[in-house]
Amino acid sequence: MAVGPTMPGLAAVVEGEAVARRRLTAFRKGLYQCLCWRADALFELVDAVLTAPGRVGSLVELSEVNAFRRGHGALYDALACGTVDTGALRGLLAGAWEPPVDDGPLKIAVDVSPWPRPDAETSAERCHCYTACRCDGSRKTIPGWPYSFAAGLEWGASSWTVLLDAVRIGPDDDATLATVRQVAWVVEQLTATSLLTDRPAPVMVFDSGYDLSRISYLAGREGLAVQVLGRVRSDRVFYGAASACRRDARPGRPPRHGERYPLKAWASWPAPDEQLHADSPRYGKVEVSAWHGLHQKLGRQGGWARLPARDELPIVAGTLVRIHVEHLPGSRTPEDVWLWHNAPAGTAFDLEVLWKTYLRRFDLEHTFKTLKTLLGWTLPQIRTPAQGDRWTWLILAAYTQLRPARHLAPDLRRRWEKPLPVHRALTPGRVHRGFAHLRRLMGTPARKPKPTTPGPGRPP
């Protein structure tokens, strides 16, 4: 009989579902404790986002969802007057990250996503946010609220991420300083949950546009044991270590920068210090090369202009990584990808982990799409930045509940949708579709509204 071999697999599935149910129940109870004023309305607002039929279309329509047992007036009052303990919620989000099965460093992506507010002229603290669309035919920026997200990355054929933190960057904020503070908060919460125990320094992944040298310098000054990995543009120039004396042997100050390494002329460089060859079903043959001990020549501009004039600009050395692939999906012409990596002293350099980690950074783009198109993060037309921050934290709490629910929610796929393989978890859209059935079994810690006289904005 074939029953014997299949029983252990069935038992493992049942045990996995029980663990996911406990984690989801514990998170919902912890979320309710993180909500202070208007806690019941805020919690039911999160449930309304999770159980809305289809994509969230507007904020006021959430008051018509069965999970929200109050009127639309209570919905707006919760966002206007409610309070969220963001410190406790950060710890709750970090604790919801299941310990990765590998013993390598934790991989965390940091990126900015805009909340466009072009017509909200009375809303405060708007900035010019980069956007891929052309708003009036020429500009590539739009007035809005930029939010910096930090999310944990995982291996596997999945685009799920672990949202850990969200910070709005104001017009008077230094974006690099705000990023380093966010990294410090994330590391503090992960340390408190023991996820960093017996692991190498976590890898913080950035896309192009970040000042990687300044982030590494500030992180080292603050004592943050993190690895910085980010993409650099192909028109950059790096320098090697300087020699102890001048080349012409004349007296004078020794040079601060060594040999010049322009990325466009990499073919004339010396042989790489490390090289890796791999085969990928998506990219074909992959060649990864690394050159150690390279740095950029800094100037007193941007954030470096705030350094006292008597202080010399630092030299932040790291490893330059070149990724060359045979082909790209869609028959596109591949271009070399350049990365720069900096790590604390004594950290083991793993070239295979680093280049694969950067590829996983694109999972955060799928998370942004889920937050905006499925959960309606940028849809509410609210006025104040404080309300935007409050709504953003609620959306993070909603997305975090979808992760354990992917092992519990029924697959209510459409007739034209293909069934997923058994080993693949449900997508966020399919989990959201079946969350209403799951919520009926778990219940809610929120209290029922007080009986009131039916009237405008109040349910009968």
Side-chain angles (χ1 to χ4, degrees), residues 183-202:
V183 169
W185 290 336
V186 170
V187 171
E188 179 182 358
Q189 298 300 333
L190 293 177
T191 303
T193 56
S194 301
L195 284 176
L196 298 181
T197 304
D198 298 331
R199 290 182 179 273

Side-chain angles (χ1 to χ4, degrees), residues 49-373:
V49 172
L50 290 171
T51 59
R55 299 179 177 179
V56 176
S58 65
L59 183 61
V60 69
E61 289 179 356
L62 293 177
S63 63
E64 298 295 326
V65 180
N66 293 334
F68 194 82
R69 298 172 293 182
R70 293 155 174 82
H72 67 274
L75 183 148
Y76 285 103
D77 181 68
L79 287 180
C81 304
T83 55
V84 180
D85 188 349
T86 57
L89 187 51
R90 282 192 179 99
L92 187 65
L93 295 176
W97 193 354
E98 305 92 341
V101 295
D102 63 320
D103 56 354
L106 295 183
K107 298 159 282 292
I108 303 170
V110 180
D111 202 359
V112 174
S113 183
W115 183 338
R117 303 287 288 151
D119 301 325
E121 297 182 359
T122 60
S123 294
E125 302 184 20
R126 293 189 305 166
C127 304
H128 279 285
C129 307
Y130 174 80
T131 179
C133 67
R134 293 178 177 266
C135 305
D136 59 1
S138 59
R139 294 183 302 172
K140 290 188 178 182
T141 62
I142 187 172
W145 295 325
Y147 280 84
S148 176
F149 289 84
L153 307 176
E154 298 177 349
W155 301 126
S158 172
S159 60
W160 286 92
T161 62
V162 185
L163 289 176
L164 300 172
D165 189 54
V167 176
R168 179 175 49 85
I169 301 178
D172 299 328
D173 293 337
D174 186 325
T176 304
L177 287 176
T179 301
V180 174
R181 285 196 300 267
Q182 185 177 34
V183 169
W185 290 336
V186 170
V187 171
E188 179 182 358
Q189 298 300 333
L190 293 177
T191 303
T193 56
S194 301
L195 284 176
L196 298 181
T197 304
D198 298 331
R199 290 182 179 273
V203 181
M204 314 301 297
V205 192
F206 304 90
D207 202 6
S208 60
Y210 284 88
D211 191 343
L212 301 178
S213 298
R214 188 161 177 246
I215 291 177
S216 302
Y217 170 76
L218 294 175
R221 193 180 65 178
E222 296 296 329
L224 296 177
V226 296
Q227 303 183 55
V228 176
L229 176 67
R231 183 173 181 175
V232 294
R233 291 167 46 180
S234 59
D235 58 351
R236 299 300 185 186
V237 177
F238 285 78
Y239 295 83
S243 58
C245 57
R246 296 168 60 95
R247 291 184 178 179
D248 51 12
R250 293 186 302 175
R253 181 181 179 180
R256 301 191 71 231
H257 310 285
E259 188 175 353
R260 192 170 182 268
Y261 290 88
L263 300 189
K264 291 185 176 180
W266 67 270
S268 61
W269 293 7
D273 299 319
E274 294 189 33
Q275 200 165 26
L276 175 69
H277 296 273
D279 292 326
S280 171
R282 187 176 180 86
Y283 303 105
K285 296 185 179 300
V286 180
E287 180 184 85
V288 187
S289 308
W291 291 264
H292 298 307
L294 300 184
H295 65 273
Q296 284 187 298
K297 183 184 295 185
L298 306 178
R300 291 190 180 273
Q301 56 186 0
W304 296 111
R306 302 178 182 179
L307 200 68
R310 65 179 181 273
D311 294 344
E312 197 172 39
L313 291 174
I315 293 180
V316 186
T319 300
L320 200 61
V321 179
R322 170 181 171 266
I323 304 177
H324 176 75
V325 299
E326 184 179 9
H327 58 78
L328 293 175
S331 300
R332 292 176 295 168
T333 302
E335 296 183 359
D336 293 343
V337 175
W338 290 94
L339 307 177
W340 187 80
H341 172 257
N342 177 272
T347 304
F349 182 81
D350 194 331
L351 188 58
E352 183 177 6
V353 170
L354 292 179
W355 82 270
K356 291 182 178 180
T357 296
Y358 181 77
L359 295 184
R360 302 306 309 183
R361 192 211 68 85
F362 293 98
D363 294 344
L364 188 55
E365 303 296 337
H366 295 281
T367 301
F368 289 155
K369 183 178 180 181
T370 300
L371 298 184
K372 293 182 177 181
T373 62

Side-chain angles (χ1 to χ4, degrees), residues 37-59:
W37 286 32
R38 309 297 194 273
D40 299 317
L42 290 174
F43 189 90
E44 290 188 356
L45 182 56
V46 175
D47 275 0
V49 172
L50 290 171
T51 59
R55 299 179 177 179
V56 176
S58 65
L59 183 61

